[in-house]
Amino acid sequence: MELLNNIPPAFLLIIGAIALLALPATARKVGAIALAALGFFVITQLSEGTRGNPEFLGHTLEMLRVDSTSKAFGYIFTISAFGAFIFSWSERCRLQNTAALVYIGSALGVVFAGDMITWYLFWEMMAVSSTFLVLARNTEASRLAAQRYILVHLAGGLVLLAGILMAVNSTGSIAFTLENIHQNSTAKWLILIGILINAAAVPFSSWLPDAYPESTVFGGIVLSAYTTKTAVYTLVRGFPGEEILIPIGCVMTLYGIVYALLENDMRRILAYSIVNQIGFMVCGVGVGTPLAIAGVVAHAFCHIIYKALLWMSIGAVLHRTGKSKCTELGGLYKSMPITTMMTIIGALSISAVPLTCGFISKTLITAATEQQHHLWAWFALEVASAGVFVYACIPFYTFFNVDRGLRPKEAPRAMITGMALMAFLCIYLGLNPGHLYGILPHGEVLAEKASFYYTYIKSFDKVVTVLQMLLFSALMFFILLPLLKRTSTISIDFDWFYRKGAKLFYDAMDKTFNSLNKAAERLVIKTLLPAIAQFVIVAPATLTVMLLRPVWRESLDADEKSLKKREEELIARFSSGTFPVAYSAIFVLIFIGLLVLLGRAAG
Amino acid sequence: MTTKKKATRKKAPANKADAKATPAQDNPHLSPRFWKIMLILCGTTVLLELFVHRHPHFVIEKGEPATLPDMSDSVLATMSNWFGFYGVYGLLACVGSVLLAKGLSVFLKTGKDYYDGTP
């Protein structure tokens, strides 16, 4: 037990991932599920405090900082991994399993990191390993998406690294604490931007809906949980009460809704819904009160559960039909009834309908904005809570709407097991808020709220108002459905700036510098240089001719014709640079004479 | 209880679509039964609101620090305490989002091959 208490869970998963490579397929799958379960068990056994201090580059690292915040994230990261590995039983891919385990392990590494070097190393490992989950789809589109994905994350990582280096430089300490990050204001902003890129905050949001939908079925489930949530975790650690996060979070929630309305691909709608939900968390971090922070951690916890459930069920549909577009799906409820039920539970949870886990977590964040009298933030989050009903279009377009004659088999048993686990957690936590509230940071502010009685009976007015808002929004949604005809198009997002913008920039640079280059070539190489070459030949020749002409005329008494001939001879000698010895001797004499004269004049 | 109701409500349109069996039809048909259930549910929540005591928003209550910004003269803060506020707000939020999306689609929607053929 003592040994387990000192091993960072990250190592368990990463070393396990490498060890599993040597095993045959079935053992590898069992091993991955067992590793996730073992990781969960180890985290339950971790006692609070800071441990695991190897020396690195003259600093002492803190690989294990255990408190209620890191433990809460650790629990949900391993639970989600457990569900995802069960779900992926029927998919065979060695690369995917290994990449996922390293990715999840690195996410755990970030969550338990007590210093900024450990944090940064695991952060970059996450970026690299997750790229393989996009690549594993093995299509041209996924290869290009993975390329853009890794470029964005490497750029974000560099911004973060610059911030960390500045912070370490100005404080002399590598500790990952609030004080250290806020010491130097440039460092603080760089770190914040680095984190916000991973949190898919507007305007750095487009990498997420660009890359996640191109991943494999399993890849989508895993990706949806870790990168953005570790970013939320680091925000909770480093930036509680940072006011700029409130408007950023509100914009993210609305952005997620509007783009989801425009989108046709189910998996892309799910990707936008991640941005929407992260918006609630970012806003909550900005509010920063104990209630808000508890709400953020609770919402991250629940969000991972129902988002995994939704990615699983749409993944199951993709697995069975090979389709994921609204315009290609419909009427599947008869052939996939269990998947339909699971998707509906997921959609109800994301809409925060009472009795689901979304209700007990999202309401904490809105309550915190209200408690702090952030009027505009409260109104924006309520719009987002009502508008979140657009995600109900996921089950609607997939399983109902119009029957397109698709008659696939029900999802494989392993997939149903994975979905059932997540769906169970959605309802279970919704009915027993105390079980979630008990593991949150600042649990003391929730002590009163942590019961079914308080949440649903004593606060019945809250239940009624939330239902009223959702139902009226739903009513309107169905009335306006004809307006929302899904089209087989794509929507321009912020990635325009690096996908089209980069090309425009390249073209502009190409036009400017290459035409400058051409003009310079015309002017210097083709005109100026020959002119100079001509000048250095002709000028001394003409000068000499001018000097010699009177001498020749007097001394040789020559006629015009022979003079002309001598001149031509001389010019020819100048241009070929060949002179008889006599000429050379005379020129040397003249040159020495000039030098002497100049020397006299100067001396 | 709520979960079950929502589930049946969603099934309604599908039954109708299935009965008509129009696979090429893209406009979903929602049955009268679906609309009836929807309206009954909406009406129930409004009726229930009559019988519950709603905790007012943005009012400095006992035990809260008085340093919070005072919202007593804010129209929006007052409105949020009116009867039926949530229903109207949910309705407007949905209409607003849809119209915003519709408006933006003019500028943002583009062909599948916009980025050299890769989505």
Side-chain angles (χ1 to χ4, degrees), chain A residues 141-222:
Chain A
S142 74
R143 196 179 61 76
L144 292 170
Q147 224 170 59
R148 291 190 293 271
Y149 174 81
I150 189 72
L151 282 176
V152 170
H153 282 284
L154 290 183
L158 285 178
V159 175
L160 179 69
L161 179 63
I164 289 178
L165 290 180
M166 286 180 78
V168 173
N169 201 31
S170 62
T171 58
S173 155
I174 60 163
F176 177 14
T177 56
L178 200 62
E179 301 76 41
N180 253 1
I181 290 174
H182 287 256
Q183 195 75 38
N184 175 323
S185 97
T186 320
K188 183 193 104 177
W189 284 108
L190 287 173
I191 291 176
L192 184 60
I193 291 172
I195 297 175
L196 285 179
I197 290 176
N198 263 27
V202 175
F204 313 117
S205 49
S206 54
W207 62 263
L208 199 160
D210 182 23
Y212 285 9
E214 297 303 337
S215 64
T216 55
V217 169
F218 172 66
I221 301 161
V222 177

Side-chain angles (χ1 to χ4, degrees), chain B residues 64-114:
Chain B
E64 279 186 350
T67 48
L68 292 171
D70 185 19
M71 297 284 172
S72 52
D73 57 345
S74 162
V75 183
L76 279 174
T78 321
M79 260 166 55
S80 70
N81 294 320
W82 287 353
F83 175 80
F85 163 80
Y86 278 94
V88 176
Y89 199 66
L91 201 140
L92 290 180
C94 189
V95 176
S97 319
V98 169
L99 290 183
L100 183 63
K102 201 73 198 156
L104 283 174
S105 72
V106 177
F107 305 102
L108 296 180
K109 273 196 178 180
T110 176
K112 270 192 295 195
D113 297 329
Y114 182 69

Side-chain angles (χ1 to χ4, degrees), chain A residues 40 76 79 301-302 305-306 309 342 345-346 348-349 353-361 419-439 450-453 455-456, chain B residues 3:
Chain A
F40 179 77
I76 190 57
I79 292 174
F301 197 99
C302 297
I305 296 172
Y306 56 70
L309 174 57
M342 302 296 176
I345 293 175
L348 292 177
S349 302
V353 169
L355 305 183
T356 65
C357 63
F359 179 74
I360 62 157
S361 58
M419 289 190 277
L421 176 69
M422 293 297 157
F424 168 75
L425 284 174
C426 280
I427 305 292
Y428 179 79
L429 290 178
L431 293 175
N432 301 288
H435 290 206
L436 175 61
Y437 291 175
I439 60 163
S451 66
F452 181 88
Y453 172 77
T455 316
Y456 296 109
Chain B
T3 324

Side-chain angles (χ1 to χ4, degrees), chain A residues 277 280-281 295-303 306 358 361-362 365:
Chain A
Q277 298 293 305
F280 278 92
M281 299 172 212
V296 169
V297 178
H299 202 46
F301 197 99
C302 297
H303 169 76
Y306 56 70
S361 58
K362 195 196 271 180
I365 298 178

Side-chain angles (χ1 to χ4, degrees), chain A residues 364-376:
Chain A
L364 295 183
I365 298 178
T366 44
T369 55
E370 189 196 318
Q371 198 188 49
Q372 289 307 107
H373 288 201
H374 286 294
L375 185 66
W376 287 105

Side-chain angles (χ1 to χ4, degrees), chain A residues 144 262 333-334 348 370-371 373 379 383 400-404 461 468 473 476 483 487 489-490 492 496 500, chain B residues 6 14-15 17-18 23 25-26 28 49 55 57 68-69 71 87 89 94-95 101-102 108-110 114 118:
Chain A
L144 292 170
L262 296 174
Y333 77 99
K334 268 196 204 158
L348 292 177
E370 189 196 318
Q371 198 188 49
H373 288 201
F379 267 85
V383 168
F400 306 110
N401 198 15
V402 287
D403 191 343
R404 291 186 206 274
D461 62 321
Q468 188 182 86
S473 172
M476 222 46 223
L483 262 184
T487 49
T489 51
I490 57 170
I492 297 174
W496 185 89
K500 280 283 166 178
Chain B
K6 285 233 163 180
N15 289 338
D18 200 56
Q25 176 67 263
D26 247 26
E49 200 187 339
H55 297 287
H57 299 299
L68 292 171
M71 297 284 172
Y89 199 66
C94 189
V95 176
K102 201 73 198 156
L108 296 180
K109 273 196 178 180
T110 176
Y114 182 69
T118 56

